[in-house]
Amino acid sequence: MKAVFLDLASLAEQDLDLSGFERVVDVWRSYPATAPGDRLAHIGDADIVVTNKVLLDDAVLRAAPNLRLICLTATGCNNVAVDTAREMDIVVSNVVAYATDSVAQHVFALMLAHHTRLFDYTAAVQRGEWSRSPQFCLLDYPVRELRGMTLGIIGYGELGQGGAKIAEAFGMRVMVSQRPGGQAQQGRHAFAEVLREADVITLHLPLLDNTRHLIDAKALQLMKPTALLINTARGAVVDNAALADALRQGVIGGAAMDVLDVEPPPLDHPLLATDIPNLIVTPHTAWAGRQSRQNVVNETVANIQAFLDGAPRNRVA
């Protein structure tokens, strides 16, 4: 069996143990990245393709006759033509539950940075404002405790549940949203109700046709004017331009985005403008803890082995 990893550098592989890949297949190749025009050349005669974010569309799948297995080093599968894969009897497997601790940690890092005004106070100290203070401390920016706040979770899978556990330890009230258009479930709250009541909204949804721009201008208007929106899911779950406008207009209190609707974003992306208040943007690093990335490798190797054993696991197609 021949296997190729199309975008290995997306795992920042320098501190990872990759030996499992070479043990599980006969021939192993990898590329740091694969440009659109290089996809077929890099795939070549491989039976197995491993990819994080390289687009494997209908045309690519049909032009790769040896391809039998696609392994995604992520949970989302929106970069693969899944319907074509099914038609061609190509197995597609993803990885799940690999970054729960890393993502939950990142969500609360963003939440705490916002509510403690971490960056505002750091900048104030660097400007010399503490040195000029007439008293021992600076109190220019109001700090809020998480205890007693309501955390609204939209997308209550592995990651949403991981965040809920931490929220309870902070003394927050947790509200889990019913997915819009989904079946009613006990213990879930209507989407609009969660938007109206939550002090913090955290998103953990896949990007699907019915979740694209789920958080749009209308949804933002329903939120509290002091509310914080956190997105560590997929960038296009939020209407990025609408969010930029809402923050400028004070519609909500702030936003912390680890994902944008175009990645990497162009310099003129709506959420990279320098005049947007109360916005934190991190470069899609919520998942990137070292152990989480090693989990990705280990789970991908396990997916390949399961396929070779005739019992594919974590199938999305």
Side-chain angles (χ1 to χ4, degrees):
M1 277 286 180
K2 300 178 181 179
V4 59
F5 199 143
L6 297 178
D7 51 350
L8 181 59
S10 67
L11 295 186
E13 78 281 7
Q14 293 86 350
D15 59 350
L16 301 181
D17 177 5
L18 304 175
S19 60
F21 286 126
E22 295 183 356
R23 289 196 304 267
V24 78
V25 295
D26 303 307
V27 178
W28 167 253
R29 292 183 290 117
S30 66
Y31 297 93
T34 296
D38 294 330
R39 288 174 296 176
L40 290 177
H42 285 186
I43 292 171
D45 61 352
D47 307 280
I48 299 168
V49 167
V50 181
T51 181
N52 191 338
K53 295 293 183 288
V54 175
L55 178 63
L56 300 178
D57 54 20
D58 177 88
V60 168
L61 297 190
R62 294 189 187 281
N66 288 1
L67 187 55
R68 296 175 57 195
L69 171 67
I70 298 170
C71 284
L72 291 159
T73 59
T75 302
C77 57
N78 51 291
N79 59 316
V80 174
V82 172
D83 290 340
T84 302
R86 289 195 186 101
E87 176 192 332
M88 298 181 66
D89 200 27
I90 299 170
V91 173
V92 181
S93 293
N94 68 351
V95 290
V96 296
Y98 64 91
T100 305
D101 293 336
S102 184
V103 172
Q105 173 179 294
H106 197 85
V107 167
F108 276 84
L110 295 172
M111 202 181 306
L112 290 166
H114 175 80
H115 287 105
T116 62
R117 307 299 290 269
L118 178 67
F119 297 116
D120 291 321
Y121 277 116
T122 298
V125 170
Q126 292 173 342
R127 291 194 300 267
E129 293 178 18
W130 191 18
S131 299
R132 295 189 293 271
S133 174
Q135 56 186 351
F136 73 97
C137 61
L138 280 180
L139 298 173
D140 294 356
Y141 305 100
V143 172
R144 297 181 63 194
E145 295 92 345
L146 298 185
R147 179 171 296 278
M149 287 188 182
T150 296
L151 175 65
I153 301 176
I154 303 175
Y156 199 57
E158 174 77 17
L159 298 176
Q161 292 173 38
K165 293 175 183 177
I166 299 176
E168 291 167 356
F170 272 101
M172 301 181 80
R173 172 197 177 206
V174 174
M175 289 182 74
V176 179
S177 172
Q178 177 67 46
R179 185 171 295 190
Q183 294 293 321
Q185 294 178 262
Q186 187 174 3
R188 304 289 177 94
H189 299 264
F191 176 60
E193 179 187 3
V194 174
L195 292 178
R196 285 193 295 266
E197 294 194 21
D199 298 289
V200 181
I201 296 284
T202 181
L203 304 175
H204 300 285
L205 294 156
L207 179 59
L208 304 170
D209 289 342
N210 64 346
T211 63
R212 183 177 296 274
H213 288 188
L214 179 67
I215 304 299
D216 57 10
K218 181 179 178 181
L220 291 164
Q221 287 287 345
L222 290 178
M223 294 171 62
K224 291 181 178 181
T226 56
L228 171 67
L229 174 68
I230 299 175
N231 189 11
T232 57
R234 288 291 182 264
V237 171
V238 176
D239 183 334
N240 287 205
L243 176 60
D245 290 341
L247 289 169
R248 288 190 182 96
Q249 297 165 15
V251 173
I252 62 172
M257 309 294 286
D258 185 56
V259 288
L260 298 179
D261 55 4
V262 179
E263 295 178 344
L267 290 174
D268 61 351
H269 188 278
L271 287 176
L272 296 186
T274 58
D275 64 335
I276 303 175
N278 301 321
L279 172 64
I280 300 170
V281 177
T282 54
H284 206 140
T285 53
W287 69 285
R290 191 265 168 195
Q291 187 54 56
S292 295
R293 290 181 290 112
Q294 186 63 54
N295 290 344
V296 167
V297 172
N298 297 344
E299 282 293 295
T300 303
V301 170
N303 285 345
I304 294 173
Q305 186 64 64
F307 172 80
L308 296 177
D309 291 342
R313 66 198 288 268
N314 293 334
R315 291 191 65 168
V316 295

